[in-house]
Amino acid sequence: MPFAQSINHSQALKMIQQALAEKRLDVEHIPVVNAMGRVAAADVLAPIDVPTMACSRMDGYAINTALFRRGDRVVANSEQSGTWRLSLGAAVHAQRQTAPVLCGEQAIPIMTGGVLPEDADAIILKEQVELTEEGIRFDQLPSRGSHIRPRGSDLKAGQRVLKANTPIQAGMVGVLSSLGLAEVAVYAAPKVALMVTGDELVQPGADCGPGEIYDANAPMLQNLLQTMGCQVAVLSPLGDTEEAVRQRLSEMADAACDLIISVGGVSMGDKDLIPEMLAELGTVLFHKVRVKPGFPLLFGRLGGGLFFGLPGNPVSCYTTLCQYIWPAIRLLNQQNMAVAQWRAVLTHEVKKSHLRREFMRAHFDMGHDGLLQVSVCGDQQSSRIESLAQANCFLVLNESDQDLSEGSSVLIQPFAAWRMV
Ligand code: AMP
Ligand code: MG
């Protein structure tokens, strides 16, 4: 079957979006405390008011200002000195209330969060009174309602507090918990199968003989995918033989995965068997994208899952995972697929002699003028894994072949953006 070849970046994203149009993640109910970084699968309405009862916002004294306004004698001496005096009742703390409390003609010491006495209409702050033998003395009458948190002033029962398809942050974990909710409905973490390919690969910790190299990609990509909120199964590395690849892809066609990711073996080498095997056992949707690094990227379907074949060079697979698989994960979670982009000032000249979009590994920080500045992290060969460890962003160069001069305003994509929330 014919498939798209050597397409550009936005065409690749469009095809990924089309392939995902019908896909939906399951919904699961999880403890609220574990919901950070997940995406709400349904609206949540407040089951109760917060606070559930009027209470004090500060440490102080609850009083009934109506008494003063009537000019009752119980609050004597005001005529002479402009000073108010009250005796004290038993204190109210932030705890379960066993019996209703009234101020009457007294001031009730009250702590932050303490339930407001039934007849109180203001709190006077601790620092605004003077303690006397008889109680307290103060010069200024607080206005009605001061330092009181009315019932439902934060959240009202029935109000929508969480909208479906919204990512859940720590603050929302707090809101849901304040409503007494212990569980929340979220999209199930995308199930991802990750496999590296290559006869030369050896696992870190084992001996590495001549011609062999340590597998850097599986550990790196596993971490990246987990940060993106995926449930990752790392499969054993695949040898570069037709039998091995055919058998593994046949198994994967029956596995219940949302995404199947292979690394290596998608280029022009004799042992780059993945494109051919995907065409045989699944469907190739596109092969090769005019970007740098990551040109040989392969995309298609296998069984019920979407298949990404990433190039094996560490920088290429890291970059293509960020640029193409992250948008797919976002779409699965009903999020938009746009990557956060900021502007920064280039600290040095950058030469560009090709017409592909390029994602350079770069480092940004804040310059003396308070603006973001960015510098490329050394040699940009896709085999140079060290550039990844130094970098904190991609510097994005568009499809033009223009060099960029020092001081140019450029687009960067902070690595910190590649998480679910
Ligand atoms: P390939 O895409 O399979 O042609 O691999 C391109 C280059 O990346 C080769 O030099 C491979 O040895 C290297 N490579 C492939 N897979 C890995 C891996 N898992 N870890 C480190 N390097 C790799
Ligand atoms: Mg290989």
Side-chain angles (χ1 to χ4, degrees):
M1 206 168 89
F3 53 85
Q5 287 213 60
S6 297
I7 56 179
N8 67 30
H9 176 67
S10 51
Q11 286 169 324
L13 286 177
K14 197 173 242 169
M15 291 186 72
I16 291 168
Q17 190 169 19
Q18 283 164 355
L20 277 155
E22 308 281 281
K23 267 200 146 290
R24 289 279 174 278
L25 293 171
D26 292 339
V27 174
E28 61 184 19
H29 291 79
I30 63 165
V32 166
V33 68
N34 298 335
M36 163 103 170
R38 305 293 291 273
V39 177
D43 287 354
V44 174
L45 307 184
I48 54 170
D49 288 333
V50 175
T52 50
M53 312 185 76
C55 59
S56 178
R57 233 184 255 291
M58 305 287 276
D59 295 325
Y61 299 88
I63 57 175
N64 178 353
T65 61
L67 284 180
F68 299 82
R69 298 211 162 79
R70 286 208 316 266
D72 279 13
R73 281 193 307 106
V74 286
V75 290
N77 296 342
S78 59
E79 310 81 37
Q80 293 157 24
S81 59
T83 297
W84 310 96
R85 293 171 196 277
L86 282 179
S87 63
L88 296 180
V92 174
H93 296 91
Q95 65 185 115
R96 180 188 280 262
Q97 200 182 34
T98 47
V101 174
L102 286 168
C103 296
E105 294 170 351
Q106 291 186 305
I108 303 295
I110 190 165
M111 310 309 135
T112 305
V115 174
L116 196 71
E118 285 180 8
D119 56 347
D121 63 359
I123 306 289
I124 179 157
L125 299 186
K126 222 167 177 170
E127 42 276 48
Q128 289 170 344
V129 308
E130 203 181 299
L131 279 175
T132 63
E133 302 250 305
E134 306 80 46
I136 56 168
R137 199 173 73 187
F138 52 96
D139 297 329
Q140 211 150 22
L141 198 56
S143 53
R144 292 187 72 188
S146 52
H147 309 300
I148 290 174
R149 276 179 81 199
R151 174 181 178 150
S153 54
D154 201 359
L155 299 164
K156 290 230 176 334
Q159 160 186 354
R160 183 171 69 184
V161 290
L162 177 57
K163 212 168 148 211
N165 300 339
T166 307
I168 297 175
Q169 314 260 20
M172 185 53 69
V173 169
V175 165
L176 298 176
S177 301
S178 79
L179 291 165
L181 299 171
E183 291 204 332
V184 61
V186 296
Y187 293 115
K191 291 190 205 66
V192 179
L194 175 66
M195 57 189 154
V196 291
T197 71
D199 288 331
E200 74 278 35
L201 298 182
V202 173
Q203 292 311 295
D207 281 343
C208 196
E212 294 180 321
I213 59 165
Y214 285 117
D215 170 20
N217 291 339
M220 177 173 72
L221 300 185
Q222 178 186 358
N223 274 278
L224 203 47
L225 287 162
Q226 281 166 347
T227 310
M228 295 174 184
C230 296
Q231 187 186 323
V232 188
V234 183
L235 310 182
S236 57
L238 260 187
D240 290 317
T241 64
E242 267 192 37
E243 304 74 67
V245 176
R246 182 176 287 116
Q247 188 185 336
R248 177 63 64 77
L249 294 200
S250 320
E251 285 163 19
M252 295 318 296
D254 295 330
C257 288
D258 299 301
L259 305 177
I260 302 155
I261 304 174
S262 71
V263 188
V266 288
S267 201
M268 302 298 287
D270 296 348
K271 293 189 167 183
D272 290 340
L273 305 166
I274 304 283
E276 195 184 311
M277 289 291 136
L278 181 63
E280 183 183 315
L281 299 162
T283 312
V284 175
L285 293 171
F286 68 72
H287 188 199
K288 299 179 186 153
V289 185
R290 295 199 305 275
V291 290
K292 205 174 146 73
F295 178 71
L297 177 69
L298 173 73
F299 175 64
R301 296 178 196 281
L302 183 62
L306 292 172
F307 187 99
F308 286 90
L310 310 185
N313 265 316
V315 171
S316 307
C317 63
Y318 187 105
T319 306
T320 45
L321 195 148
C322 288
Q323 298 298 334
Y324 301 102
I325 298 182
W326 184 80
I329 295 166
R330 294 271 299 179
L331 288 171
L332 283 170
N333 277 288
Q334 310 303 314
Q335 305 296 292
N336 67 47
M337 67 197 296
V339 177
Q341 299 201 114
W342 299 342
R343 285 220 160 260
V345 177
L346 200 53
T347 63
H348 53 84
E349 184 186 35
V350 169
K351 295 265 182 213
K352 187 164 184 285
S353 54
H354 57 82
L355 289 168
R356 291 195 231 157
R357 175 172 290 239
E358 182 162 0
F359 304 101
M360 299 184 109
R361 277 72 62 216
H363 194 278
F364 75 91
D365 55 19
M366 195 185 280
H368 296 304
D369 52 6
L371 297 177
L372 295 184
Q373 58 182 19
V374 65
S375 317
V376 168
C377 294
D379 184 347
Q380 294 287 304
Q381 295 295 326
S382 58
S383 52
R384 249 199 91 233
I385 195 166
E386 215 251 332
S387 68
L388 273 178
Q390 284 175 22
N392 64 1
C393 68
F394 288 117
L395 160 58
V396 186
L397 305 182
N398 67 20
E399 282 79 359
S400 107
D401 60 355
Q402 302 282 303
D403 294 343
L404 291 171
S405 54
E406 179 185 333
S408 304
S409 170
V410 290
L411 284 179
I412 60 168
Q413 299 173 332
F415 283 176
W418 275 284
R419 47 180 55 252
M420 205 46 246
V421 186

